[in-house]
Amino acid sequence: MKVRLVVDGVFEEVEQVTEALHPPESGFYWIDASTEDLQELQHIFNLHDLAVEDCMNEEEQRPKLEIYDAGHYFIVINSIRFDDEEIFLRSLNIFLGRHFIITVTQQKINELRLIKPLLLEEKVNQADRFLYHLIDLVIDNYFTVSDRIEAKIENLEEDILMHTRKSHLNEIIGLRSEILWLKKALGPQKELIATLNRKELRLIDDELQKYFSDIYENSVKISETFDTFRDLMGNLREAYQSSVANRANEIMRVFTAITTIFMPLTVITGIYGMNFDHIPELHMSNGYYFVLGAMVTIGSLMFLLFKKKDWL
Amino acid sequence: MKVRLVVDGVFEEVEQVTEALHPPESGFYWIDASTEDLQELQHIFNLHDLAVEDCMNEEEQRPKLEIYDAGHYFIVINSIRFDDEEIFLRSLNIFLGRHFIITVTQQKINELRLIKPLLLEEKVNQADRFLYHLIDLVIDNYFTVSDRIEAKIENLEEDILMHTRKSHLNEIIGLRSEILWLKKALGPQKELIATLNRKELRLIDDELQKYFSDIYENSVKISETFDTFRDLMGNLREAYQSSVANRANEIMRVFTAITTIFMPLTVITGIYGMNFDHIPELHMSNGYYFVLGAMVTIGSLMFLLFKKKDWL
Amino acid sequence: MKVRLVVDGVFEEVEQVTEALHPPESGFYWIDASTEDLQELQHIFNLHDLAVEDCMNEEEQRPKLEIYDAGHYFIVINSIRFDDEEIFLRSLNIFLGRHFIITVTQQKINELRLIKPLLLEEKVNQADRFLYHLIDLVIDNYFTVSDRIEAKIENLEEDILMHTRKSHLNEIIGLRSEILWLKKALGPQKELIATLNRKELRLIDDELQKYFSDIYENSVKISETFDTFRDLMGNLREAYQSSVANRANEIMRVFTAITTIFMPLTVITGIYGMNFDHIPELHMSNGYYFVLGAMVTIGSLMFLLFKKKDWL
Amino acid sequence: MKVRLVVDGVFEEVEQVTEALHPPESGFYWIDASTEDLQELQHIFNLHDLAVEDCMNEEEQRPKLEIYDAGHYFIVINSIRFDDEEIFLRSLNIFLGRHFIITVTQQKINELRLIKPLLLEEKVNQADRFLYHLIDLVIDNYFTVSDRIEAKIENLEEDILMHTRKSHLNEIIGLRSEILWLKKALGPQKELIATLNRKELRLIDDELQKYFSDIYENSVKISETFDTFRDLMGNLREAYQSSVANRANEIMRVFTAITTIFMPLTVITGIYGMNFDHIPELHMSNGYYFVLGAMVTIGSLMFLLFKKKDWL
Amino acid sequence: MKVRLVVDGVFEEVEQVTEALHPPESGFYWIDASTEDLQELQHIFNLHDLAVEDCMNEEEQRPKLEIYDAGHYFIVINSIRFDDEEIFLRSLNIFLGRHFIITVTQQKINELRLIKPLLLEEKVNQADRFLYHLIDLVIDNYFTVSDRIEAKIENLEEDILMHTRKSHLNEIIGLRSEILWLKKALGPQKELIATLNRKELRLIDDELQKYFSDIYENSVKISETFDTFRDLMGNLREAYQSSVANRANEIMRVFTAITTIFMPLTVITGIYGMNFDHIPELHMSNGYYFVLGAMVTIGSLMFLLFKKKDWL
Ligand SMILES: [Mg+2]
Ligand SMILES: [Mg+2]
Ligand SMILES: [Mg+2]
Ligand SMILES: [Mg+2]
Ligand SMILES: [Mg+2]
Ligand SMILES: [Mg+2]
Ligand SMILES: [Mg+2]
Ligand SMILES: [Mg+2]
Ligand SMILES: [Mg+2]
Ligand SMILES: [Mg+2]
Ligand SMILES: [Mg+2]
Ligand SMILES: [Mg+2]
Ligand SMILES: [Mg+2]
Ligand SMILES: [Mg+2]
Ligand SMILES: [Mg+2]
Ligand SMILES: [Mg+2]
Ligand SMILES: [Mg+2]
Ligand SMILES: [Mg+2]
Ligand SMILES: [Mg+2]
Ligand SMILES: [Mg+2]
Ligand SMILES: [Mg+2]
Ligand SMILES: [Mg+2]
Ligand SMILES: [Mg+2]
Ligand SMILES: [Mg+2]
Ligand SMILES: [Mg+2]
Ligand SMILES: [Mg+2]
Ligand SMILES: [Mg+2]
Ligand SMILES: [Mg+2]
Ligand SMILES: [Mg+2]
Ligand SMILES: [Mg+2]
Ligand SMILES: [Mg+2]
């Protein structure tokens, strides 16, 4: 657990977490805690049992804002990470007070590292502005991920239409599952930010409303993008199925056509392999060559006919 | 039927059910009844005909809360059980009064056993707190089931993509049916808990609101999870269909390719099996070996060509 | 047309329909009419042109409640019948006044027969209570039908997964059509009963509200059940398609495998059927038996290989 | 352009369109115009630019009602026609004033012909009643069309399940496109009539409300019917696909079975066509007949086996 | 950046952008800027950081209207372009003040060229009228695009049903992706215009309401059209799949039928190619011709049978 006093974006480490109980002369306290620190913090800041329970839960949490009588808000939001194979959501739990903000995470979250230079640049002096920049970072990261998913979908589409491979099925099914799970998380996230975007929240400055409104717009955009992704994945799966069927049909067609072309030739050789006493052709001096020629002719004609009918 | 006086989570058996008509000095009465006891209870507690009819009904009930003039609420909620083959819902009927709570079940429900140590630990002294812990247990159990379904879906997905078996179809169709039926039950359950989550209910302490709000959040999460399950099952079914088609195509391709490769060889043997008087090759001393060699060469070339074209 | 005075559930035939214009001392009048009687009734009870037009219409009617200035309600509800092949809906038209109820039907409706003993048992003395019991009967009948459809769907599911038959397609397509048509009728029926379930209707006693609320709950349940049926039918259709494809693939696989196994044997016989002057094997004393043995061996090995690869 | 004074349903031709500017002693003016007459009418009746633009537009219009300051309403509704191949919608533009109604069409619309006898029979004396009867005719015509589409769908269903033809695909795809386009037009039409069905419209008599409510109900019914049609067409397309696949599989099965049955016979003839010095059977006196018998037996047994296994 | 004073639709170039800060005697200023000019404009007109950020963003923007304290609105709308391969959306950013309008674009947008003659013709003298005409042009262009997409879909439908080609798959999948992306953009655009269509906007004259209402209607129509397009593309994809499957089945059927017809003939030649000592037919003088005749007969009969059974 790190306790910092932030004044005009400048950080100063604080030894005693209890200092954060009283408003500083200027700036605000940021307590960057892990779930292990929660028990201690619960006593000091009077955190609600249910909020602590949510932070400890190993499961992915539903984004939400809850207003507690103790004078702070409890906010849960999910940070996203995409390692090209799987999409990970990591809960970022925030307790927002008038002059302090507590961030609680189970695993390291990149945005908590990126926020530092940003606060300095923007000379952030208030806990609610800190909240805005943190959530802005979290949401902007969804765009990075959605751009990479979009690129992946487009590559997949091109790839499938050019030369379908069996492994494409795994990719489609896997990516579609990931998108379906993610879509589930985006709905409540949008709702959470809509709540922050309303005027009446006592702990959030009215000046910030336009800024949260900007984030809200982004989170709607992300949600619409993932809806489109789901439909595109359906489109892709159908492209895959058609492509694979087309290719299978074509190969079988070639195989079957070869068999079909050779079939009459087999019968011809069979005819002149029969042991009848009287088969006049057998005794013609060029019979053999005539028959070979006939066979080549018949085979070629069949091949050309199939070609012309566009069956091959 | 068991009648108990609960004081600070401590249970005390009561002989006469009619005692429960009057408020105890401290604590509340819990009457754990089966449907056979209903007739007796109906007279004593003035239960409504329609509520009793619902309890007796063999069919799965829609979760709901009904407020009766007689001064108690009638609550129906479904407890879930999953034996890896089928999902069972069992109706848990609750009559909540100011100083008593009646639970009515047709079959044994696990949560009514699990509640006892919990009440002791939490020193529960009021009927509405009992209700909260009971419903919390019921809803938490849905997470257990949904985690197992999720694991089952993920195994199935992996299994299908690795080596599809015909029996997968039964599993997919069966599990999808189960999920569709369950989804039907989750909508009204969510509504019921939303009702409990509102401030104005006279028999439920305002202090409890945050707690019912926590349960509500969980029931929304469960409902969203099952929506995702339904979509994942669609994804899975399509994975199955594609996998099965791919596999069938591949096997047929191998069979057909073998036939196709042997077809020209048949014609060659046919040619030298013809009985023409003049077939010069027949009299060449190495003719037989040349032809055998030619046949091996042609067959091999075809095989290699098919391989190279990725048709095999 | 039958005109009856109902007092405490006891029926008494009345000769003159015009008697029903004036409130009886006790009880109410029930006029059980067919569409042919409408013209007469329209004059007497001042029924609205549009209501009469709806009763006469051969088409299935949308359930609804309309309040007319003449001091009565016009209610349309659909009675259901299922003869295992097709689902039939029959319009039941009701004019509800303060002291009379007119039921108008084009075809016999079973519920109008079943209501008589029920009225006697419940000692019904008011037109609105009659209405409640009639609609309760109509809606309860939907459960009977939905239970039979559910059983049919479950049988079909099991049947299809065990041994798919071509006739299953007809059953699926037919039943799905029936369900789609029925679903269309359930939405407005639900709305109608929601209207009856509201407090403000002047002609319906507030005491009855809880009872209509019970029916409303049932009609919601039915509607949700039919939504689930539609999804289950989609599930079933996909099960059918996969099963049929699996079976077709397997049979073709066996046929093709036989051909494939015999193909090399044909070539072998072809080789030793060639007429080359010098084929040493032909003159070996056991050549014939060696070749036969080789053929059996090759065929068996291919068969075993295919088996082992799970291609057969 | 035809200008008529309508009194109690009786028509009287009027020479000067400007007469219609002033209320007649009794009745109302009906101006039956084509789009060419619009410029003239725009000046006289002070029609809004945007309304005129809509009338002139060649595209299908969205049904709507617009209230203009000039004291009239502008109503657009679509008349339907179905020639068994395609569904046509034709815009019917209406300007409704207190004592006049202007109908503007680009093409002849049947309902404007059918309205005349109706007005006479109903002794229509007011512009808003004219409007009611006109819209009633327009909407009733949708039932005629929807009944014919329903019949077509049912025939198609039966036809497809009995003997699928390739041409069915064209019919399904074409009809489905038509239904999808039509569905798009029905939503706003329903909204338009809902607007007419509200009490507050100044130019429409409150007495007419019940009548417009009847039309509204019909337009909801039509809209629900077309939703069902769309689902039925999906059902049908899947029936087609399954039927076609079943049929193709069966035919291929027969072909392949014949090949498979003859394959071992070919090998047998091949065996006794080999030129080994020592093949004892060749010298048995009944060898030839034994072998022929064996071949018939083997072929028949295979055929019976396939039949028994229900593979043929 | 071009700064123009527009008076009664007549343009006059202005040198100093700062002139636009003060209301002109008559008319309004139009500043046609690119994103490079934004920094300068931001200082002069006090544009909000977030609005400038949106203009600079390379990504496609969500259409919206935002009201800033500085006394102007910020409007984002997407202009559409369709080059028969892909649909492009280009953000058109607009700052609307009382006496000025600033248009900001990253790329050239055709509508900004087309607006000039229009303003002259309509003698536009106010910034809000300019806005109306600009948005009207933008939306009308969607009709042009949707008409071309509709034509493309209809051609594709006809083409696919007449003679399916493999390349159709690419067209369907590609067009469907484009439509899905576009649909995503149409929702917020509709909302934006609905906002403009409300009475209370201070900077937009109430007189203009009817005109924005006309545009709103058009944007709803476009949105409904694209919903229909999406459904039609689904229809088309299924048509493609069925057509391709039908064609593949037919070709395979012909190939397989040929093989099947020749199979018995092969056996016949095999029979008379056997080397039994006693095969009486071999010594009949016309045996060879009889057999040839029998083969032709059998082949023809099989062919006719298959034809008659409609298997070919
Ligand atoms: Mg919680
Ligand atoms: Mg994941
Ligand atoms: Mg941002
Ligand atoms: Mg940003
Ligand atoms: Mg992007
Ligand atoms: Mg799709
Ligand atoms: Mg699909
Ligand atoms: Mg009930
Ligand atoms: Mg079950
Ligand atoms: Mg819980
Ligand atoms: Mg919990
Ligand atoms: Mg889980
Ligand atoms: Mg899916
Ligand atoms: Mg009617
Ligand atoms: Mg029916
Ligand atoms: Mg009932
Ligand atoms: Mg009941
Ligand atoms: Mg049931
Ligand atoms: Mg389905
Ligand atoms: Mg217009
Ligand atoms: Mg059309
Ligand atoms: Mg009508
Ligand atoms: Mg009618
Ligand atoms: Mg009909
Ligand atoms: Mg369907
Ligand atoms: Mg922004
Ligand atoms: Mg694009
Ligand atoms: Mg326009
Ligand atoms: Mg226009
Ligand atoms: Mg068009
Ligand atoms: Mg579709």
Side-chain angles (χ1 to χ4, degrees), chain E residues 85-141:
Chain E
E85 294 294 323
E86 229 179 315
I87 297 165
F88 300 97
L89 292 183
R90 292 179 169 175
S91 291
L92 169 56
N93 305 287
I94 301 168
F95 293 90
L96 176 75
R98 173 69 71 195
H99 65 278
F100 67 88
I101 188 163
I102 308 175
T103 54
V104 183
T105 53
Q106 282 184 5
Q107 295 159 289
K108 287 233 173 310
I109 280 173
N110 208 23
E111 285 86 347
L112 286 177
R113 208 167 41 73
L114 295 173
I115 191 116
K116 288 177 205 167
L118 199 67
L119 295 181
L120 199 63
E121 172 145 341
E122 300 280 341
K123 296 190 178 162
V124 171
N125 209 31
Q126 246 119 19
D128 55 356
R129 292 200 168 258
F130 181 102
L131 180 74
Y132 159 68
H133 284 292
L134 184 55
I135 294 184
D136 191 40
L137 276 177
V138 167
I139 297 299
D140 278 353
N141 202 24

Side-chain angles (χ1 to χ4, degrees), chain B residues 29-172:
Chain B
Y29 292 100
W30 170 27
I31 299 156
D32 184 5
S34 77
T35 42
E36 285 101 62
D37 311 315
L38 260 179
Q39 224 172 350
E40 187 184 346
L41 291 170
Q42 180 169 20
H43 288 289
I44 299 171
F45 290 96
N46 197 12
L47 310 179
H48 197 288
D49 272 1
L50 292 167
V52 170
E53 188 193 68
D54 285 345
C55 296
M56 307 298 290
N57 202 325
E58 304 265 319
E59 296 272 319
E60 185 189 308
Q61 290 301 304
R62 278 196 101 225
K64 67 174 171 184
L65 177 144
E66 269 176 19
I67 299 175
Y68 285 107
D69 298 340
H72 56 255
Y73 299 164
F74 174 51
I75 296 163
V76 183
I77 194 166
N78 287 313
S79 159
I80 196 170
R81 216 161 61 85
F82 180 39
D83 66 3
D84 254 22
E85 294 295 321
E86 229 179 314
I87 298 164
F88 299 97
L89 292 183
R90 292 178 170 176
S91 291
L92 168 57
N93 306 286
I94 301 167
F95 293 90
L96 176 76
R98 173 68 72 195
H99 66 277
F100 68 87
I101 188 162
I102 309 175
T103 54
V104 184
T105 53
Q106 282 183 4
Q107 297 158 287
K108 286 233 173 313
I109 280 174
N110 207 23
E111 285 86 348
L112 286 176
R113 210 168 38 75
L114 296 174
I115 190 117
K116 287 177 206 167
L118 199 67
L119 294 181
L120 200 63
E121 171 146 341
E122 300 280 340
K123 296 189 178 163
V124 172
N125 209 31
Q126 245 119 21
D128 54 357
R129 293 202 168 259
F130 181 102
L131 180 74
Y132 159 69
H133 285 291
L134 184 55
I135 293 184
D136 191 41
L137 277 177
V138 167
I139 297 299
D140 278 352
N141 202 23
Y142 278 82
F143 283 113
T144 320
V145 170
S146 94
D147 281 348
R148 283 169 61 199
I149 294 178
E150 192 182 332
K152 204 171 163 182
I153 292 177
E154 270 167 28
N155 287 345
L156 214 48
E157 185 181 317
E158 213 172 291
D159 231 44
I160 285 171
L161 292 176
M162 294 285 280
H163 32 255
T164 324
R165 279 191 315 276
K166 250 185 65 184
S167 71
H168 284 145
L169 182 60
N170 290 29
E171 291 188 51
I172 291 168

Side-chain angles (χ1 to χ4, degrees), chain A residues 14 129 205:
Chain A
V14 171
R129 292 200 170 259
D205 195 349

Side-chain angles (χ1 to χ4, degrees), chain C residues 48-50 53-54 57 59-62 64 66-68 166 169-170 172-174 176-177 180-181 183-184 188 191 230 237 240-241 244-245 247-248 251-252 254-256 258-259 262-263 265-266 268-270 272-275 281-285 287-289 291-292 295, chain D residues 132 136 143 147 150 154 157 161-162 210-211 213-214 217-218 220-221 224-225 228-229 231-232 234-236 238-239 241-243 245-246 249-250 252-254 256-257 259-260 263-264 266-267 269-281 302 306 309-312:
Chain C
H48 197 288
D49 272 1
L50 292 167
E53 189 193 68
D54 284 347
N57 202 325
E59 296 271 321
E60 186 189 308
Q61 291 300 304
R62 278 194 100 226
K64 67 173 170 185
E66 269 176 18
I67 299 174
Y68 284 107
K166 250 184 64 183
L169 182 60
N170 290 28
I172 292 168
I173 296 300
R176 189 145 77 152
S177 290
L180 287 171
W181 279 117
K183 251 180 59 65
K184 180 174 90 82
E191 278 173 51
R230 190 208 42 203
R237 219 219 56 99
Y240 171 79
Q241 184 154 26
V244 152
R247 191 163 177 271
I251 299 174
M252 285 301 277
V254 173
F255 286 160
T256 313
I258 296 176
T259 301
F262 278 98
M263 206 65 210
L265 310 187
T266 310
I268 290 172
T269 63
Y272 295 108
M274 293 193 294
N275 300 321
E281 298 93 316
L282 294 180
H283 311 300
M284 288 162 64
S285 60
Y288 174 54
Y289 299 106
V291 163
L292 283 190
M295 283 167 68
Chain D
Y132 159 68
D136 190 40
F143 282 113
D147 280 349
E150 192 181 332
E154 271 168 26
E157 185 179 318
L161 292 175
M162 294 285 280
K210 270 264 164 305
Y211 291 86
S213 160
D214 182 65
E217 200 189 298
N218 286 336
V220 171
K221 207 164 138 186
E224 291 170 348
T225 303
T228 306
F229 284 166
D231 292 348
L232 288 171
N235 198 14
L236 222 56
E238 298 187 347
Q241 184 152 26
S242 289
S243 264
N246 281 350
N249 283 336
E250 264 164 47
M252 285 300 279
R253 198 139 63 211
V254 173
T256 313
T259 302
T260 304
M263 206 66 210
T266 311
V267 172
T269 64
I271 288 171
Y272 295 109
M274 292 192 294
N275 300 321
F276 282 97
D277 291 352
H278 307 286
I279 303 186
E281 298 93 316
M302 283 179 80
F306 293 168
K309 288 218 162 196
D310 202 20
W311 291 355
L312 274 178

